[in-house]
Structures are given as structure tokens and as C-alpha cells.
Amino acid sequence: MSANLSALSYLISSVCFILALQGLSSAKTSQRGLTFGIVGMLLAVGTTLASPIVSSYGWIISGIIVGGIIGTVIAKKIQMTALPQLVAAFHSLVGLAAVCVAAAALLEPQAFNIGNVGSIAVGSLVEMGLGVAIGAITFTGSVVAFAKLQGLVSGNPLTFTGQHSLNAFLGIGLVVLIGLFAVSESHTLFWAVTFVSLLLGFLLILPIGGADMPVVISMLNSYSGWAAAGIGFTLGNSLLIITGALVGASGAILSYIMCKGMNRSIFNIILGGFGGDQAVASVGGGKEQRPYKAGSAEDAGFIMKNAKSVIIVPGYGMAVAQAQHALREMGDILKNEGVQVRYAIHPVAGRMPGHMNVLLAEANVPYEDVLELEDINRDFAQTDVAFVIGANDVTNPSAKTDPKSPIYGMPILDVDKAKTVLFVKRSMAPGYAGVDNDLFYQDHTLMLFGDAKKMCEEIIKALEE
């Protein structure tokens, strides 16, 4: 394939990826966006394979077969609840790929047309240093995020004295090492950059609390994009540069939007201080037993059937129980009884951006019934029933009332303003942030204990009877 034809194909692929991002911005157009993404990727891979610089297809075909099999098995077996940690795992692979490409370029520069060993251009060495640094930070940071989401590591912030000073020292040292590497082409300095970056990735994500993990996933997505762009510069591949920049920029913008929605600072994420000291100060210690009201599915069915309006607030507990289909059926029955039913989505509900939207779309909940926080929050005060199913931290009033809380300042869904709150939970345990929810103990709250799916099914029976 000629250079001009390759450039044209890569340009078309880039346009497809842009259209894919545009389509994925809405649930209504997500399938179209996914189609554009698939077409763009097929075209990009095909163009690369047809490139005259490819001298052997053995390893490439082997990699495609092995990767294709692994991807197919994961796609068929993965549960919706495990998507956040799957995304984190994929981000780690992108970071690792960036490290491997940078190492290969350093060892065999002639294969990348960037010079010979000992005489690589300074610009290429800077690209290599930045690529390996971003890639290594993305790799270890994503591994930590995966471990936290999978429950292998505590979701609480893991902090120690002098942590911020150490991070700052390592960050400054990393910049110095990259500069020295660029002017010396020292292999020792290259691996020093790699080691410091791997360590920094661990230290940046460990102090971040569970309640802030959706933002971390989004930011790691941005890091993986910039790592891919770095690979593109090393390989001289314009498509990788464009695609990496798209992913990096969109991930950064999404992180900023989510931080704004949580009243947090995006610089705290980058510096690894998100949810750190404050959380340690407030989590832990004894917790007094407070009175609460518990009810049954029959109670919930009677209350909602006699209501004029119901707002359903889904959270991670719904995802764990796979209750979205039963929830939609319950909502349909209430609609047939003349009840206005809507769904309220918090920007960080679940464990990744858009988690709840995907689950509700899977259950064919009408798009017009699903509203974001800023569109529905003012309606809770005029709502008869708020039905909270598995959400916790995003409905906790302490975010507004307790300055010592690790979620203080985060905008929440004003569920406590509804006339009656029905709260579905397995127990009185706190949410992922480790913070007790004051809403459990309010007079107009009725706790419904049990599996979210089974509870919805029992409410359905009560409504039908």
C-alpha cells in the first residue's frame, strides 16, 4: 500500500473514531457510535497490516489469534458489575504496551527509523522518555484501581505520613531523569525513569478512596490515551497520535466534568491526594446503634401504588444483583397504575462513568425517563416516593452537613426531601466510601432488607395482588 493511500485510510479511520465518540455520548446513538468505532478499527488494522514496513506476519497473526480468543471469552463471560475493573485492566495493558514499545525503540532504533544505537535524535529520546513515564504510571495505577474495584485491596484511602512530599519528590525527580536521558541516551537512566514511574503510579492511586474511584477510572482512561499518543510519536504513526489524543483529551474532559459534579479538584487526582487525609480522619472508630424503620415488599408495594410520583435511584447494589430488568418491570406496573415513574442518575453512581445508564438501557428503560442529577434534583421535594436501590454515598446527606466526611462537598441526589424514602439494602453497612448514611435513620425512610432483584420481584407480586 502506498504512503498516500495509507495516510488517506488513517484519516478515514480517525474520522470514524471521532464519530464513534460523538455517538457514544448518548444512549440513543450509542449503537451507531459503536459501529463507527468497529469500522474505524478494522480499517486501521487492515491499513497497518498492508504497510510495506511489515516484513513478517507470523507474530502478528499469532497475537491477533491469541488476543481475539481472550477478548471473545472475556466478552461472553464478563458480568456488567465487573465492567469497571475490566476497564481498569485494559488501561493497564495500554500502559504496558507503551513501555514495551519505548524499550524496543531504544534497543532497536533503526527498526523505527529514528537513528542508530548511540545516535538517536534528542526529540525521539524525549518522546521515548515521556511515553515510558506515562505508560508506566498508567500501568501500575490501573493495576491498583483494578485491585480496589475487585476487592483485593481495601477501598479506603491508604495513606502515610509524608506521602505528598514523596510524590512531589518523585515527580520532580522523574522530570530530571527524563531530561538527563534525552541528552545521554543512557539505558540505565531509561530503566530508572521506568522504575520511578511504576512506583509513582502505585503511590498516586493508593490514597484515593472508593467513593472517588469512578473519577480515577476516567483519569486513567485519559492517561492511557496519552500513552497511546506517545507510542504514535515513537512509531511515526499519525493514526495512533490522533486516536491517543482523542482518548486522552476526552478522558480529561470527562474527569473535569465529574470533578465539577462532585465539587472536587482535578489537580488532586493528578497529584494523588483525592479523598485522602479527610477520609482517614473520619473513617473508623466506634459507631453507635441508631433506631431505624424496616419494612417489607408488601409495605413498599402499597406505598408506591398509592403514590402519584416515584423517582427511582439506582446504584451499584442494583448492578451486583442484576436487578435492572425486574426494576423496569416494577416501573412498568406502576406506570399502568397511573404513577409517574422516573429514574435519577448521579454522575458517579456505580463504579465507572455511565454505569447505571448502561444497565438501564440494557433493560430497555425509556431514555426519556432517565434523568441526570441537575435535571431531576429539584423534583424530589414534590415527589411522593424515592425508591433507592443499591445507591448509598450519592444519597448521603452528610455530604452537605458534615465537614469531616470524606464525601463532604459532593453534590448528592436530594432523596431526603421526598415525602417517603424506600431504601433497598442487604444490611445497614456503609457504602463504598465507608461512611454511614444518615438517611437510613430519618423518620420518613423505610429500609427494605434483602437482595435487590428479589426485593423488586416481591414488590411486583405485591403490586399484582
Side-chain angles (χ1 to χ4, degrees):
M1 182 178 289
S2 66
N4 290 337
L5 186 56
S6 294
L8 178 61
S9 297
Y10 282 152
L11 178 61
I12 296 173
S13 297
S14 301
V15 172
C16 286
F17 293 145
I18 294 172
L19 294 174
L21 283 176
Q22 182 187 40
L24 292 172
S25 64
S26 168
K28 292 183 179 180
T29 59
S30 59
Q31 288 187 337
R32 184 183 69 195
L34 184 60
T35 301
F36 275 119
I38 293 173
V39 171
M41 184 56 68
L42 288 174
L43 183 58
V45 172
T47 302
T48 302
L49 291 178
S51 173
I53 64 173
V54 178
S55 58
S56 174
Y57 289 95
W59 285 106
I60 295 175
I61 294 175
S62 299
I64 291 174
I65 292 174
V66 173
I69 292 174
I70 294 174
T72 301
V73 171
I74 291 175
K76 286 184 174 293
K77 291 190 174 183
I78 193 70
Q79 299 293 323
M80 291 296 293
T81 52
L83 278 181
Q85 47 264 56
L86 177 65
V87 171
F90 283 167
H91 289 164
S92 72
L93 295 179
V94 176
L96 183 60
V99 174
C100 292
V101 169
L106 178 65
L107 299 174
E108 297 288 341
Q110 62 275 9
F112 296 83
N113 296 319
I114 57 175
N116 297 307
V117 176
S119 60
I120 301 176
V122 174
S124 296
L125 291 173
V126 172
E127 294 167 4
M128 244 181 277
L130 291 174
V132 73
I134 298 173
I137 291 173
T138 303
F139 173 65
T140 50
S142 298
V143 168
V144 174
F146 171 84
K148 281 177 172 280
L149 292 167
Q150 190 66 18
L152 303 177
V153 176
S154 172
N156 293 330
L158 302 176
T159 60
F160 55 87
T161 304
Q163 175 182 310
H164 296 302
S165 299
L166 177 60
N167 287 350
F169 174 76
L170 290 175
I172 295 172
L174 184 59
V175 173
V176 173
L177 286 173
I178 292 175
L180 293 174
F181 166 70
V183 297
S184 67
E185 197 183 321
S186 167
H187 288 208
T188 301
L189 288 175
F190 175 85
W191 294 115
V193 169
T194 305
F195 174 78
V196 172
S197 301
L198 290 171
L199 179 60
L200 195 57
F202 275 116
L203 295 175
L204 287 175
I205 307 301
L206 280 174
I208 298 176
D212 303 323
M213 197 51 65
V215 190
V216 174
I217 294 295
S218 175
M219 201 63 203
L220 287 171
N221 177 63
S222 178
Y223 289 167
S224 69
W226 298 123
I231 296 175
F233 279 109
T234 302
L235 297 176
N237 188 306
S238 58
L239 178 64
L240 265 179
I241 296 172
I242 294 172
T243 305
L246 280 173
V247 175
S250 60
I253 292 170
L254 178 59
S255 299
Y256 174 77
I257 293 173
M258 294 178 69
C259 286
K260 189 176 180 181
M262 296 175 67
N263 194 28
R264 305 292 198 188
S265 168
I266 192 169
F267 293 106
N268 282 344
I269 312 176
I270 299 172
L271 300 176
F274 208 42
D277 299 335
Q278 213 176 31
V280 174
S282 60
V283 175
K287 185 175 66 175
E288 63 174 309
Q289 295 296 320
R290 300 162 62 184
Y292 58 87
K293 298 177 182 178
S296 64
E298 290 74 18
D299 297 328
F302 177 81
I303 293 172
M304 287 193 287
K305 193 171 185 178
N306 289 279
K308 292 182 179 180
S309 62
V310 173
I311 295 180
I312 298 172
V313 181
Y316 187 67
M318 181 193 75
V320 172
Q322 289 290 285
Q324 61 269 25
H325 296 281
L327 184 66
R328 190 219 63 200
E329 185 179 353
M330 183 191 80
D332 290 344
I333 294 175
L334 290 172
K335 286 182 179 180
N336 292 334
E337 295 289 337
V339 181
Q340 182 189 34
V341 178
R342 291 172 295 170
Y343 298 78
I345 306 296
H346 192 280
V348 294
R351 299 274 177 92
M352 66 180 292
H355 199 178
M356 296 301 103
N357 302 75
V358 171
L359 291 174
L360 295 178
E362 180 192 11
N364 294 318
V365 172
Y367 300 130
E368 58 271 16
D369 292 345
V370 182
L371 302 173
E372 302 294 331
L373 178 146
E374 62 270 13
D375 298 321
I376 198 171
N377 225 18
R378 61 183 178 274
D379 295 344
F380 278 104
Q382 290 80 42
T383 299
D384 294 318
V385 178
F387 184 83
V388 185
I389 177 167
N392 198 328
D393 299 321
V394 298
T395 64
N396 194 336
S398 66
K400 292 184 175 182
T401 60
D402 184 5
K404 295 182 179 180
S405 172
I407 62 173
Y408 181 71
M410 181 180 79
I412 61 167
L413 290 164
D414 293 329
V415 171
D416 57 316
K417 294 182 180 180
K419 295 177 183 177
T420 302
V421 178
L422 302 177
F423 215 116
V424 181
K425 271 184 66 69
R426 290 181 179 272
S427 68
M428 294 294 289
Y432 195 54
V435 184
D436 202 21
N437 194 339
D438 290 337
L439 185 59
F440 298 164
Y441 311 102
Q442 295 188 7
D443 292 337
H444 65 311
T445 299
L446 192 67
M447 302 299 297
L448 306 173
F449 295 113
D451 177 83
K453 182 178 180 181
K454 291 181 179 178
M455 180 59 66
C456 287
E457 291 172 345
E458 291 175 4
I459 293 175
I460 290 171
K461 291 179 181 179
L463 290 171
E464 291 175 339
E465 291 174 358

